[in-house]
Amino acid sequence: TIQTSDFTAVAGEGYFVNTTSQVLYVNLPVGVVGMEITIQDYAGTFATNKVILNANGSEKIQGSALEGRINTNNATAVLIYQDATKGWTSQDVTINLPPLTVDYLVVAGGASGGVHQGGGGGAGGLRTSYGSTSGGGSSAETSLSLATATNYTVTLGSGGAAVNGLGTRANDGSNSVFSTITSTGGGGGGTASLNSGNAYDGGSGGGGSGDQTTTGGSAVTSPVIQGYAGGNGISGQSGNRSAAGGGGASAAGGNATLGNGGNGGNGLSVSITGSSVTYAGGGGGSANNNGGNGGTGGGGTGSTGTTGQTDGSVNTGGGGGGNTSDTSGVYSGAGGSGVVILRYPNTYTVTIGAGLTGSTTTDGSDKVTTFTAGTGTITFS
């Protein structure tokens, strides 16, 4: 009898199987060591419509608990039951792996804060497909459907280096990349006398300086929104000039008030690793009386007077805190480096190429690979 619909095989029997019209499922019987089942491609169509094999209960196929498949035209597959470890095996059977669907979190490097009444650095842009929300209040992006044995680029964006001295521009953060996903580095904090004291655009914008009434940098909108704008600085008597906070992934940087620096915008909590972690907080603005706090997610604190500024945290994309001083040797806070995190089915393995630093853990039925430094390529198998 030619089999044209799903059926349950019997040990010791052979079957002509016609998949011209559809994929066909075969349920395998309880295994007995040494028993055989033969499946032959009647119409030469297994490559178009494959045969999918389901083991009995917790038994194995090719040593795996996953489905097997026969997808070679004109195959004559002889399945032999070896034992409980290997189960049913055949040179014509491969494991029917799930689709290689990869979720990602890509955070760029945060910017440094400004000097000379400096604003807080903007956080690195944040893009993610995991959860419901991405940077800038946008909806989470679409997961990537990838292929095995294919090179995919990963680049970790560095944080903007700290700056010092009169008339020195804050450094933007660097972009982070995974495959087709690029997150934009944070925008530098404003510095008195440069760019009219205004801050710079980035994944999240930097905070305006306290030189005069200044504006914060904007968050980029291309290719997508990734964060929020920085806050506005405020002018006043020399002792009351105050700079604004840099923008974060989930909130704008705080505006300055007389004598008080604006707080950095808060970052976004993402649970792609299996635990909730907050990334991409903006840096706090500097002030004579009270420097602004860094935003949650690695934002650095702005200085009070000439001290107290801190860097953005490593691998968060946090912006650095601003500094009030224009004295050589007194630095602003540096931006924190970015991070790339991938989540994918645990039936796959990632190979990390030279130049990248990364590690892999397992969470439920998924693997999670976190990259913390470098640039290079990866492949899945």
Side-chain angles (χ1 to χ4, degrees):
T1 301
I2 311 302
Q3 304 292 328
T4 58
S5 60
D6 301 344
F7 66 96
T8 298
V10 176
E13 297 291 333
Y15 300 90
F16 300 111
V17 178
N18 185 346
T19 62
T20 300
S21 300
Q22 63 184 7
V23 171
L24 196 146
Y25 290 80
V26 178
N27 298 315
L28 300 177
V30 174
V32 177
V33 174
M35 292 300 292
E36 297 182 1
I37 297 171
T38 302
I39 295 176
Q40 203 278 326
D41 184 1
Y42 173 81
T45 56
F46 280 7
T48 302
N49 290 318
K50 59 183 174 281
V51 169
I52 298 178
L53 305 173
N54 291 312
N56 187 285
S58 61
E59 290 187 346
K60 306 289 182 64
I61 299 172
Q62 306 286 62
S64 171
L66 298 173
E67 296 173 332
R69 67 169 180 254
I70 311 170
N71 60 352
T72 302
N73 283 343
N74 301 307
T76 300
V78 179
L79 287 78
I80 303 174
Y81 188 84
Q82 294 192 36
D83 57 21
T85 300
K86 292 294 186 180
W88 293 97
T89 63
S90 169
Q91 66 178 2
D92 295 301
V93 173
T94 56
I95 298 303
N96 193 34
L97 294 173
L100 178 50
T101 301
V102 179
D103 281 304
Y104 54 84
L105 169 68
V106 181
V107 181
S112 73
V115 290
H116 194 195
Q117 300 156 20
L126 185 153
R127 298 180 63 181
T128 187
S129 64
Y130 197 82
S132 60
T133 306
S134 190
S138 57
S139 297
E141 299 188 46
T142 303
S143 306
L144 295 180
S145 296
L146 303 182
T148 57
T150 301
N151 287 332
Y152 295 100
T153 298
V154 177
T155 298
L156 276 298
S158 58
V163 294
N164 76 112
L166 182 66
T168 304
R169 185 201 190 288
N171 287 308
D172 298 336
S174 298
N175 297 350
S176 288
V177 178
F178 168 59
S179 184
T180 58
I181 305 300
T182 298
S183 292
T184 306
T191 291
S193 76
L194 285 180
N195 194 32
S196 300
N198 299 321
Y200 299 91
D201 301 341
S204 283
S209 82
D211 183 29
Q212 51 190 317
T213 300
T214 60
T215 59
S218 298
V220 299
T221 58
S222 178
V224 294
I225 296 172
Q226 306 167 33
Y228 284 86
N232 300 327
I234 192 169
S235 62
Q237 296 178 346
S238 141
N240 286 324
R241 292 174 179 165
S242 306
S250 69
N255 295 329
T257 59
L258 287 178
N260 301 300
N263 294 330
N266 286 335
L268 181 69
S269 177
V270 184
S271 299
I272 192 169
T273 62
S275 300
S276 178
V277 179
T278 304
Y279 305 89
S286 65
N288 291 93
N289 295 340
N290 295 293
N293 295 321
T296 57
T301 301
S303 75
T304 298
T306 60
T307 62
Q309 71 279 5
T310 61
D311 299 338
S313 298
V314 173
N315 295 135
T316 66
N323 195 293
T324 60
S325 177
D326 61 2
T327 304
S328 178
V330 179
Y331 286 81
S332 65
S337 56
V339 69
V340 174
I341 302 176
L342 309 179
R343 188 179 180 103
Y344 50 94
N346 64 14
T347 48
Y348 291 93
T349 298
V350 68
T351 299
I352 300 173
L356 282 168
T357 300
S359 60
T360 300
T361 60
T362 299
D363 182 53
S365 60
D366 291 332
K367 287 180 180 176
V368 178
T369 299
T370 301
F371 299 95
T372 55
T375 185
T377 59
I378 64 170
T379 58
F380 293 92
S381 59

